[in-house]
Amino acid sequence: MSTSTAVTEAVDAWLRRRLRLRDMQINETYAAVALAAATITALVWANVGHSYHSFWQTPASLAIGPFKVELSLHGWVDEGLMTAFFFMVGLDVRRDLTLGELRLPGRALLPVVSAIGGLVVPALAYSAITHGADGAHAWGSVISTDTAFALGMLALIGPKRAPRLRAFLLAFAVIDDIGALMVIAVFYSGSLNLMALGCAVLGLLGIMLLARRGVWRMPPYVLLAVVTWYALYRSGVHATLAGVLIALLMPVYPVRSADVDAATEVARLYRQSPHPGTAVMLRESLAYSMPLNQRLSWMLPPYVNYVVVPLFALANAGVELNGGTIAAAFSSRVMWAVVAGLVLGKFVGVAVGAGLVLRLVPGSRLPGLDLPRIMGLAALSGMGFTISLLVANLALEDEALRDQARLGVLAASLGALLLATVIFRVSERISPLPPPPGEHLCRAVDFDKDLTTGNPDAPHTLINYADMSYEGRWRLMEALKGIAALRDAGRVNLVLRHKLTGPESLLAALAMEAARHEGPERLWRFHDALANLRGQISTDSITVAAQEAGLDAWAMWERIDSGADEPKVLADAMDVEGLTEDGSPVVYIDGRRFERLLNRWTFSEELTRIEAVGAEGDSGD
């Protein structure tokens, strides 16, 4: 075994272990189970002895000179740890507004209107039931959805062929959380200390300045974040608001190729001469190449999912379930208002809002995102839990009313889950979803017409639909070269088809088709030359690339002008029309769309997985 092969296998084994760990850390179902386990633990603890409330009311102060924070353990969880939760929510908001679904007005309209309906109708339902009674002020406890619980339960009970439903829930939950945080800031904060509030504003301005100046190291942001949190805590505004406000200012932008290239160059220097200083510079260049928002969004979920949110449930879900408490709750308007607001109000508000948009704005209709599935999601949004418990603690001073609200939240979460399960099952029977568009390859490979490299009799085929004018095409080219050994060993055949986003991509595709008539060796040299142009496609650059590959540029342009290859190119493009919003590639392995990261390791792992599944099937036979 060569040294290169041994290194590759060692790296692959390490990546495999890390991927298994990461999958567990970000698994939404596991996170929901952890939250449910913490809730059950809190209920058991609260009903065994008297230590539950006394423990969480234990004072825990922190003082540095004249600066002092005096909170109970319960307060540290609610105002301290939960800041990390809202910070993660804010990162999602900012990223969606800049890079995700919410940046597109047509795509944003459906979750925005649904979220507004899910905020307004539950509050009205709660207020109507509790009008004139104690606890009427706690209407904010029924307006928000617990994202972690809802995502975990969607993975368990939702349709398996509706990836857009999860994206809709995330976008919906982001807007929902913004509304809930605004309600907390306006209606459930104490009397304001304007001096402290001004200091918080200055801290936020400092963070904004750091982001605009391109500061990418975390310590300056952490320092100003602590100052801002403390200032908000002293101002009378609920300190968790600092989390979302700071997150909205974190730098976020698409990864820049120049930054990745710079990190690659430093890695090359380290390989040539390993040194502690170069190792530090490599670490810094890698961190610099990934915007701070995306870095933190990758780091935080395990801690928030398995530490912060379960601790919050442990500190807030403990209710003494004796006969008196349950009887008082069942006769309380607060409990039934919470149940009605979360189960019925959320369902009606979200479903009606979504239905109006789908009816009045045809462009909002997307495959896998129809009204029956949205109705199931509307029911699931009644799992309010985290923010519901938080607002109940803020709005209600009487402990008996708090217990009634908590029982209402727990009952509503269970009721919402049951209602969502019924809706999803019934809708699947009455109106089953078709497979998502593009899930399967729509045309078999034609080895006489398609651009291929490798043994046509190979057991596996990888087809990539490529836009040669896409700036990142060279990355997939490198990834495919990384599995050249598998191709040469006869394990996989590589096929290139065309994807079009404009006249430049059409021109490059026609040039590739013309080049295939001069032999495969020159064709793939020409392909590499085009990919290395990194999107700078023009007639002149195509001509230069053809000459570098040893092609007859004159003959190539004659064939392009003849239009002989246009039907084939357009047919390729129609296969994947609308599957992506830019020129990024669409990849199929053995006829199924491959939607993980596109690199050498993920390709080889998928091929190994398919072979392992096939071997198990053969042994079973």
Side-chain angles (χ1 to χ4, degrees):
M1 182 186 295
S2 68
T3 302
S4 175
T5 303
V7 169
T8 298
E9 290 184 357
V11 169
D12 286 358
W14 179 78
L15 288 173
R16 218 170 283 127
R17 292 193 298 272
R18 289 301 300 266
L19 181 64
R20 283 197 295 267
L21 177 62
R22 181 68 185 178
D23 285 346
M24 184 192 73
Q25 290 174 337
I26 63 172
N27 186 288
E28 290 152 357
T29 303
Y30 292 167
V33 169
L35 182 54
T39 302
I40 294 170
T41 302
L43 288 170
V44 172
W45 185 5
N47 288 276
V48 177
H50 304 284
S51 63
Y52 179 82
H53 291 292
S54 60
F55 174 80
W56 289 111
Q57 293 308 316
T58 302
S61 300
L62 179 65
I64 302 176
F67 306 105
K68 185 181 297 184
V69 180
E70 296 177 321
L71 292 168
S72 63
L73 291 178
H74 181 272
W76 277 108
V77 171
D78 280 14
E79 294 204 57
L81 281 180
M82 284 300 287
T83 303
F85 170 81
F86 287 111
F87 181 76
M88 193 171 78
V89 169
L91 291 174
D92 290 340
V93 172
R94 177 66 193 279
R95 194 170 57 257
D96 270 354
L97 288 171
T98 306
L99 304 175
E101 295 274 331
L102 297 184
R103 82 185 194 281
L104 304 169
R107 296 283 179 87
L109 186 62
L110 184 60
V112 167
V113 175
S114 301
I116 292 172
L119 291 168
V120 174
V121 176
L124 292 176
Y126 181 97
S127 299
I129 294 173
T130 59
H131 180 68
D134 292 338
H137 184 54
W139 55 267
S141 62
V142 298
I143 64 174
S144 185
T145 298
D146 189 298
T147 309
F149 245 149
L151 284 173
M153 294 304 103
L154 180 65
L156 281 178
I157 67 171
K160 304 304 179 187
R161 296 186 299 183
R164 287 193 181 276
L165 200 59
R166 183 183 181 278
F168 172 79
L169 174 58
L170 284 171
F172 161 84
V174 161
I175 302 157
D176 188 84
D177 286 336
I178 292 174
L181 288 168
M182 291 175 64
V183 166
I184 290 173
V186 174
F187 295 99
Y188 300 112
S189 294
S191 57
L192 294 181
N193 180 330
L194 295 180
M195 180 69 73
L197 195 58
C199 291
V201 171
L202 289 176
L204 293 171
L205 289 174
I207 292 171
M208 183 186 297
L209 181 62
L210 290 177
R212 292 201 170 184
R213 293 293 300 271
V215 175
W216 55 274
R217 290 184 173 87
M218 279 196 267
Y221 291 99
V222 172
L223 177 62
L224 284 176
V226 171
V227 170
T228 304
W229 182 90
Y230 179 75
L232 276 179
Y233 164 75
R234 302 297 299 181
S235 73
V237 175
H238 202 267
T240 52
L241 188 62
V244 73
L245 293 175
I246 293 166
L248 290 173
L249 300 174
M250 290 292 101
V252 57
Y253 47 85
V255 175
R256 298 179 295 227
S257 292
D259 297 337
V260 177
D261 289 343
T264 303
E265 181 59 29
V266 177
R268 191 176 292 115
L269 296 176
Y270 178 71
R271 181 181 181 182
Q272 293 167 1
S273 182
H275 185 272
T278 317
V280 171
M281 286 188 286
L282 176 57
R283 184 184 182 91
E284 290 180 346
S285 63
L286 288 170
Y288 179 77
S289 70
M290 184 60 58
L292 194 54
N293 180 294
Q294 289 96 310
R295 266 190 283 153
L296 291 169
S297 296
W298 172 263
M299 292 166 52
L300 283 176
Y303 304 101
V304 172
N305 290 344
Y306 295 105
V307 178
V308 174
V309 175
L311 269 178
F312 175 83
L314 191 63
N316 287 274
V319 181
E320 294 184 18
L321 298 176
N322 54 51
T325 303
I326 295 174
F330 273 86
S331 63
S332 165
R333 281 202 270 176
V334 168
M335 175 183 161
W336 292 114
V338 170
V339 172
L342 285 172
V343 178
L344 299 178
K346 275 286 186 182
F347 174 71
V348 172
V350 173
V352 170
L356 287 173
V357 173
L358 291 173
R359 183 173 181 83
L360 300 176
V361 186
S364 65
R365 300 169 191 164
L366 297 171
L369 201 58
D370 57 358
L371 190 57
R373 255 54 62 166
I374 291 178
M375 288 174 66
L377 202 60
L380 198 60
S381 70
M383 302 186 76
F385 208 77
T386 308
I387 295 182
S388 294
L389 293 176
L390 181 64
V391 173
N393 286 334
L394 294 172
L396 302 170
E397 296 183 1
D398 184 270
E399 192 62 33
L401 287 177
R402 286 181 177 176
D403 283 347
Q404 292 161 18
R406 290 168 184 152
L407 282 174
V409 170
L410 295 175
S413 296
L414 181 59
L417 178 61
L418 293 175
L419 179 59
T421 302
V422 170
I423 293 174
F424 280 134
R425 295 295 175 267
V426 171
S427 61
E428 189 63 24
R429 282 179 176 270
I430 295 175
S431 176
L433 283 173
E439 182 179 4
H440 296 282
L441 186 70
C442 61
R443 284 189 297 122
V445 175
D446 185 335
F447 290 99
D448 293 326
K449 295 182 179 179
D450 283 316
L451 308 181
T452 66
T453 174
N455 183 355
D457 297 323
H460 306 294
T461 303
L462 186 153
I463 303 100
N464 72 98
Y465 285 82
D467 176 357
M468 298 306 296
S469 68
Y470 178 57
E471 189 272 342
R473 171 62 192 170
W474 62 275
R475 293 194 177 98
L476 183 56
M477 176 187 74
E478 286 191 2
L480 294 175
K481 285 186 176 181
I483 60 171
L486 301 180
R487 178 202 62 195
D488 296 341
R491 287 178 59 189
V492 62
N493 185 53
L494 304 180
V495 180
L496 184 145
R497 286 177 174 172
H498 305 290
K499 184 172 182 286
L500 303 181
T501 55
E504 292 82 8
S505 56
L506 175 60
L507 196 61
L510 292 172
M512 286 283 294
E513 289 296 327
R516 75 186 290 265
H517 295 281
E518 296 198 34
E521 185 176 341
R522 292 180 180 179
L523 164 65
W524 296 113
R525 280 207 306 264
F526 180 55
H527 164 271
D528 293 352
L530 287 180
N532 285 323
L533 292 174
R534 299 197 177 190
Q536 303 302 309
I537 298 294
S538 65
T539 54
D540 290 340
S541 64
I542 290 174
T543 300
V544 171
Q547 292 169 344
E548 290 176 357
L551 296 174
D552 183 340
W554 179 262
M556 180 188 71
W557 283 111
E558 274 194 333
R559 185 167 181 89
I560 291 173
D561 292 339
S562 73
D565 298 311
E566 279 193 26
K568 193 263 184 185
V569 169
L570 295 176
D572 284 356
M574 286 300 296
D575 291 347
V576 292
E577 182 70 26
L579 293 186
T580 64
E581 296 172 0
D582 55 14
S584 54
V586 176
V587 173
Y588 292 87
I589 297 180
D590 288 357
R592 291 187 64 89
R593 189 171 177 186
F594 185 76
E595 298 188 82
R596 295 171 58 192
L597 293 175
L598 304 180
N599 60 44
R600 187 272 313 164
W601 182 71
T602 57
F603 289 152
S604 59
E605 284 295 293
E606 179 65 9
L607 292 170
T608 301
R609 184 195 68 80
I610 293 171
E611 290 173 350
V613 170
E616 289 177 4
D618 292 341
S619 63
D621 294 339

